[in-house]
Amino acid sequence: MSLFRDVKRKAQQLPARLEALDKELKAIAKRLQKLEKMGLERGKAHWRKEREKVYLYLIYPMDKGARTRVYVGSDPKKVKQAQDAIARAYEFDELAERQTLLQQCFARGTAAIDEAARYLDKW
């Protein structure tokens, strides 16, 4: 295969690849909005046993020398809500990282295409 045909083939593949990446970026943005709307919990779950019962507390990082603890309790419904909100926060962080990587991919791709165009324009 000639170099010309190889470059042409790769250039023809770009629109489909870009479209797939753009579609993924839009899906991620939509999911991030939905997760944020549903509520995120940044505290860490901590179970504490008192007498015969186990209670859930949410513990937050130290701020100005004090650590905030929020009592959730042992009510299954409240515990599930807190756990779901924590899980959403983890999913949010993972998706936000993926979104950043895809945006960087677009930026690097744009720079590479610009460089290729400049190089080919020299001839």
Side-chain angles (χ1 to χ4, degrees), residues 8-22:
K8 188 175 179 180
R9 179 183 54 81
K10 289 179 181 182
Q12 289 171 340
Q13 292 173 350
L14 282 177
R17 290 180 178 181
L18 292 172
E19 195 63 41
L21 288 174
D22 186 49

Side-chain angles (χ1 to χ4, degrees), residues 37-53:
K37 189 175 183 180
M38 292 169 67
L40 308 174
E41 182 54 65
R42 298 293 180 179
K44 302 288 181 198
H46 175 74
W47 292 94
R48 187 170 184 177
K49 185 175 182 179
E50 294 177 7
R51 297 184 199 133
E52 298 297 317
K53 284 194 167 188

